[in-house]
Amino acid sequence: EKGGWSSFMAKEISEEPEAVANTILGRVVDGQVVLPELAGLDDVLQDIDRIIVIACGTASYSGLVGKYAIEKWARVPVEVELSHEFRYREPVLTPRTLVVSISQSGETMDTLMAVKYAIANGARTLSICNTQGATIARESDAVVYTHAGPEVAVASTKAFVAQITALYLFGLHLSRVRGTLDDAVAAKQLSELQSIPAKIEQVLTNAPEITQLAKWMSDTRAVLFLGRHVGYPIALEGALKLKELAYIHAEGFAAGELKHGPIALIEPGQPVFVVVPSPRDPNSLHAKVVSNIQEIRARGARILAIAEEGDVAVLPFADEVIRIPLAAPLFEPLLTVIPLQLFAMELATAKGLDVDQPRNLAKSVTVE
Ligand code: F6R
């Protein structure tokens, strides 16, 4: 039941701190990740030379976030592919390929068929799944469950943050098995992850501000989303949420791609959400994104920045700044996605739409 919330979606967003905490629960012991479900897989994980992540929609964006962490920590090449494209292109699979499927429901037909294809073609399989005993979980060599609890609203929210959490745990496990990460560094990542639920609580206190923004923007016709590095999949996810819930044309771009085409879309008044990397980011992407903001602002874009507390560089150029608490750069997606989920929900609500049951969509897509 909705337990006092206006929708399942609102309730499930409020449960995100718990979803992340429950996905971590019991899996960190003495600063090390412990995934007993992967115990028999050490040889496979040592031997793989490539990971292909397959998923659809929101789940695929969690995979894109996971790619950055897994490659950085475990030094294994990771590709992310939509399940429905994967098996129709004769992908190169070997026993040294690990196919990681991600699915909240564990029943998505496109993803299930892709897993079966991977098995039939000799790859090893792991699934990241939220529903206990789901078909995809049963088909795979191993499963790491996200413990987000049942997700009822059609639009995925808490399952998404739980998927990223599970991918990070898997990435750290893989690094340990392959000896690619210093124990102390891994322990530091785990403690960062453990600090996320409280930070999500903090982000959720911005909700009234976002409701106000959504109300002002309820007749908006198109919204763009920009991000870079792990903020890029978040831009894609912000756009997907807005399309599916508020029926507004929305597109997400990698900020670096702007000058290769999308900047032509900018006209006076065009709202653009920008997921701003931390100024502490070791890749110094912050300055590059701030300069992207300046470029589109000069062409009249209305800038809605999602930026960490204390980042003053964005202030002169942003029309609105939504703050997130400080987190290690790789973990920021677990925070920056929340305002975008809230925004899509509130904009749909402001338009009088049913946020739990968007038109034309089903919670679990069991047909191809
Ligand atoms: C979007 C959404 C969908 C699902 C996709 C995969 O909010 O919910 O894009 O993420 O249909 O579903 P699962 O994870 O059940 O395989």
Side-chain angles (χ1 to χ4, degrees), residues 19-176:
V20 170
N22 286 340
T23 300
I24 303 170
L25 190 71
R27 288 169 165 171
V28 179
V29 179
D30 296 334
Q32 283 204 332
V33 62
V34 176
L35 292 169
E37 50 277 70
L38 303 184
L41 236 59
D42 279 7
D43 291 350
V44 172
L45 296 183
Q46 265 157 20
D47 191 48
I48 52 169
D49 60 6
R50 194 160 139 250
I51 294 175
I52 306 180
V53 175
I54 49 168
C56 302
T58 291
S60 75
Y61 300 146
S62 77
L64 280 176
V65 173
K67 172 187 163 97
Y68 289 85
I70 296 170
E71 286 199 342
K72 183 176 167 72
W73 295 333
R75 308 306 300 155
V76 181
V78 181
E79 300 159 52
V80 182
E81 187 157 13
L82 296 167
S83 315
H84 34 91
E85 286 296 318
F86 172 73
R87 76 195 171 98
Y88 292 107
R89 65 168 179 87
E90 296 179 43
V92 179
L93 300 173
T94 75
R96 300 185 68 195
T97 311
L98 180 70
V99 171
V100 177
S101 60
I102 308 173
S103 177
Q104 186 286 128
S105 62
E107 302 296 342
T108 299
M109 185 59 75
D110 287 316
T111 304
L112 174 61
M113 297 310 279
V115 170
K116 288 188 169 169
Y117 181 96
I119 296 167
N121 288 277
R124 308 308 300 256
T125 54
L126 167 70
S127 67
I128 300 209
C129 204
N130 194 46
T131 309
Q132 297 282 327
T135 313
I136 292 171
R138 283 187 278 118
E139 289 286 333
S140 309
D141 293 332
V143 50
V144 174
Y145 281 109
T146 47
H147 296 295
E151 195 177 62
V152 176
V154 164
S156 189
T157 54
K158 64 176 180 172
F160 177 72
V161 289
Q163 283 158 354
I164 295 174
T165 304
L167 285 162
Y168 280 21
L169 291 171
F170 168 67
L172 291 169
H173 176 86
L174 187 63
S175 332
R176 184 146 59 90

